[in-house]
Amino acid sequence: MIYSTELIKGTLKTIILKLLVDNKRMYGYEITQKVKELTLDKIKITEGALYPTLHALEADGLVTTKTEYIGKRVRKYYSLSQAGKVKSKEKISELSNFIGTMISLLEIKPKSA
Amino acid sequence: MYCISDQQIDFIVQDISKHGICTESLKQNLVDHICIIIEENLEENGDFRLFYEATIKTFYTEELREIEEQTSYLLHVQGPHWLLGRNQFFLLLFILFIGPFIAYDIAWMFNSRQYSGFSLPAEIWESTTVFALFPFLVLFVLFLTPDSLDPLIPKRSRILIGIKPFIKIIPPDKTPRLV
């Protein structure tokens, strides 16, 4: 089952920031593959959503970029800035609280082992 | 594993530029992304053009320039902002431009209620009507201009009001999607 974009909407920045916390530096394609791998293909980040968001994070000073030439083409590696490290903690905490609230709102019982 | 040539990279750059990708760093991102997909998935003797065309179609819903527009939107909107519908925007303009005249008439009625009750003399409402008429007509024309005449604010467009930019009209086909 692939989650609808409506559900993913609003969480993309947090997903990217969290991946950068765990992986130090990543490039766009790597981010999409990592999300697919970690979510067992349930979340697919589209290129049309990923790159605008990465540019916005860069403009906000939350990520920094470093370019490397792979032959004739350029690969941009993204890593967290100091402000990005602080922001990622805030965003992860906010999303975690939100998920907790949704669980209690929808009366979802945790699965017993 | 397919090995992509410099000519093929040039072709990809030209093609995505032709289809509306003009921000240099976005272009670099997309070229690298497309190249990796091709290198990882196309067989050594596969058809580059066919595979490229099939791949690039998966990047957008209607047109590739959606990615450029989305990027531009996110880069240019800084700080808090409102995204208003067309009707909401005209209501706001109406309140801003006509509201002061109506407020003046109401204030006049309140101030002079002990002398003339809650009536408004003709010289007061006539003068405010004259001053309010021009902005009202301008708004009326702007609101009713059909889309076929290329209006300033097309129907179904959204109006962004913020700090930077202060005001921006987003046509219906460019309304940003966040994912």
Side-chain angles (χ1 to χ4, degrees), chain B residues 16-31:
Chain B
I16 65 172
S17 304
K18 201 171 72 186
H19 287 93
I21 304 296
C22 40
T23 305
E24 197 54 38
S25 63
L26 179 63
K27 212 182 282 180
Q28 291 170 346
N29 280 141
L30 290 176
V31 169

Side-chain angles (χ1 to χ4, degrees), chain A residues 46-104:
Chain A
T46 62
E47 295 78 11
L50 174 70
Y51 289 113
T53 307
L54 281 171
H55 278 76
L57 288 170
E58 188 182 356
D60 290 343
L62 300 177
V63 298
T64 54
T65 58
K66 201 174 175 186
T67 52
E68 279 182 18
Y69 278 85
I70 315 283
K72 202 175 181 182
R73 66 185 201 251
V74 178
R75 180 163 297 165
K76 273 177 86 173
Y77 282 93
Y78 293 86
S79 49
L80 286 178
S81 65
Q82 203 52 46
K85 286 175 187 166
V86 175
K87 191 72 178 176
S88 63
K89 281 181 191 163
E90 280 174 26
K91 297 285 272 182
I92 292 164
S93 165
E94 185 189 18
L95 185 58
S96 170
N97 282 337
F98 175 74
I99 292 167
T101 307
M102 290 307 290
I103 286 172
S104 59

Side-chain angles (χ1 to χ4, degrees), chain B residues 20-104:
Chain B
I21 304 296
C22 40
T23 305
E24 197 54 38
S25 63
L26 179 63
K27 212 182 282 180
Q28 291 170 346
N29 280 141
L30 290 176
V31 169
D32 187 44
H33 198 110
I34 296 162
C35 287
I36 299 171
I37 292 176
I38 292 172
E39 284 177 344
E40 288 193 354
N41 298 289
L42 183 60
E43 289 167 9
E44 265 182 50
N45 54 355
D47 188 326
F48 166 78
R49 285 287 181 101
L50 271 180
F51 194 83
Y52 166 75
E53 277 162 21
T55 302
I56 200 73
K57 277 181 188 159
T58 65
F59 281 39
Y60 54 83
T61 316
E62 283 172 21
E63 287 178 79
L64 187 64
R65 68 182 172 90
E66 290 165 12
I67 304 178
E68 177 72 34
E69 285 156 6
Q70 178 76 358
T71 305
S72 169
Y73 170 78
L74 290 176
L75 286 182
H76 292 108
V77 176
Q78 291 169 9
H81 61 275
W82 295 327
L83 198 58
L84 300 178
R86 187 174 181 268
N87 293 345
Q88 290 171 315
F89 181 65
F90 273 103
L91 180 65
L92 181 72
L93 289 184
F94 187 85
I95 291 167
L96 280 176
F97 292 123
I98 316 291
F101 299 107
I102 296 170
Y104 176 81

